[in-house]
Amino acid sequence: MKHLLEVKDLAISFKTYAGEVQAIRGVNFHVDKGETLAIVGESGSGKSVTSQAIMKLIPMPPGYFKSGQILFNGQDLVPKSEKEMQSIRGKEIGMIFQDPMTSLNPTMKVGRQITEVLFKHETISKEDAHKRAVELLSLVGIPMPERRVNQYPHEFSGGMRQRVVIAMALAANPKLLIADEPTTALDVTIQAQILELMKELQKKIETSIIFITHDLGVVANVADRVAVMYAGQIVEIGTVDEIFYNPKHPYTWGLLASMPSLDHNGEEELMAIPGSPPDLTNPPKGDAFALRSPYAMKIDFEQEPPMFKISDTHYVKSWLLHPDAPKVEPPAAVKSKMREFKDHYEKPVQVKEGE
């Protein structure tokens, strides 16, 4: 099957006074039509650089592509010019940024900001564009859209502003939507509403979504597949069930164990991953996670591990998966989280009437 987006052996560096920062180091993944892929990891793991590379929003210099391809609908975006990308951004690939206030112009009514996207990519009358802006605000759950379309960003709450940003991203019906930490600036209640909205939108408009986040918990009920990033590389990728119920990489275990319980009562002691991510001006030899892993072996400090295949959809970059490696079980805190997610997210069997 032909993938909507396929990233192959992508490597991106930045030239700095301190030297070359190897931000992305041989990343491979794909996104299919109508699918949600979540990319998770700590700050500095390369998530946002990967998403911005797809849109070619990385300033060059100091950034530059060292190698790889970004195939969108079979076309490689890497060699495309800025002018060619302008016809793709918004129309083919939409993007939702982290902070809605930096995405919206405070001096323009939200309706005009949405219609600008339409005028840029479509031949449409002012009347039809206004009507479409009202429809989009309604689609993203903004009440009284006919009145709200004539208001300014400061007249909206944070959650409503993020809905406006989503409406703008959807205006030209993009095939792929990239959401870069879209709920980080919002409180927990509004965060849940935005996540639910994105699930509903995907069903309605069948767009593909790349969801970037540092929080594994927010993707449990949203994503189809999850890619775990560390030090500019994907260290584990699989279906959401494989990542949450059968995680194999020590880093994924650490992310799971560091999450608060779903029934958090304030007394729970959270686990922390010891140490900090490596300096990518001088990436470590071998496995980048070895210095922080209690399961590191001698080979982890000497050779970079390959991607080991667990199933057709599940791959892990760790020497622990080698046939000769000692058998290591996830720690008790991770097993507890796995059980908790199973109880919380497992969908009940639907029984039709008359059965």
Side-chain angles (χ1 to χ4, degrees), residues 54-285:
I54 294 167
M55 296 282 276
K56 289 198 74 179
L57 291 174
I58 293 170
M60 298 189 178
Y64 63 98
F65 288 93
K66 286 185 77 174
S67 67
Q69 294 178 298
I70 300 170
L71 301 173
F72 179 73
N73 262 345
Q75 290 186 62
D76 189 2
L77 301 184
V78 172
K80 287 195 179 293
S81 66
E82 174 61 21
K83 190 171 183 181
E84 288 173 314
M85 286 304 300
Q86 285 175 7
S87 64
I88 293 170
R89 292 188 202 118
K91 184 172 176 61
E92 301 288 334
I93 307 173
M95 193 155 189
I96 305 164
F97 292 96
Q98 186 174 134
D99 184 1
M101 277 310 276
T102 59
S103 305
L104 295 169
N105 186 331
T107 68
M108 286 170 61
K109 293 175 181 177
V110 299
R112 187 179 158 200
Q113 296 189 57
I114 295 171
T115 56
E116 275 199 341
V117 179
L118 295 167
F119 292 139
K120 166 84 178 167
H121 297 292
E122 296 177 21
T123 305
I124 190 171
S125 68
K126 277 189 178 179
E127 187 183 340
D128 286 344
H130 180 81
K131 203 181 292 181
R132 174 77 175 137
V134 172
E135 287 171 3
L136 283 161
L137 290 181
S138 176
L139 179 70
V140 296
I142 291 181
M144 298 179 289
E146 297 86 356
R147 181 166 72 84
R148 301 288 256 169
V149 77
N150 293 312
Q151 291 182 328
Y152 291 91
H154 73 267
E155 297 178 82
F156 291 74
S157 67
M160 287 296 174
R161 282 196 288 264
Q162 192 61 291
R163 289 172 188 262
V164 172
V165 171
I166 293 171
M168 287 173 63
L170 295 173
N173 294 317
K175 296 180 179 71
L176 176 65
L177 193 60
I178 300 172
D180 189 358
E181 305 242 19
T183 60
T184 301
L186 308 172
D187 68 51
V188 176
T189 307
I190 304 303
Q191 185 181 87
Q193 292 174 8
I194 296 295
L195 291 170
E196 193 59 37
L197 168 66
M198 294 192 73
K199 271 176 66 183
E200 289 171 12
L201 288 173
Q202 191 177 38
K203 287 177 190 169
K204 286 179 185 174
I205 59 180
E206 294 186 332
T207 189
S208 301
I209 299 174
I210 294 177
F211 198 100
I212 310 286
T213 181
H214 63 274
D215 186 350
L216 256 176
V218 305
V219 304
N221 209 20
V222 175
D224 298 304
R225 288 187 303 121
V226 179
V228 180
M229 280 196 86
Y230 182 76
Q233 297 178 324
I234 289 176
V235 296
E236 183 162 9
I237 188 166
T239 65
V240 73
D241 284 357
E242 287 167 336
I243 298 300
F244 279 91
Y245 307 147
N246 189 30
K248 295 292 186 184
H249 198 285
Y251 181 60
T252 311
W253 295 348
L255 291 178
L256 284 166
S258 63
M259 288 167 44
S261 288
L262 298 165
D263 55 354
H264 182 47
N265 59 11
E267 298 174 4
E268 177 193 17
E269 185 179 343
L270 295 180
M271 301 284 288
I273 303 172
S276 55
D279 177 4
L280 293 182
T281 55
N282 184 26
K285 188 180 177 185

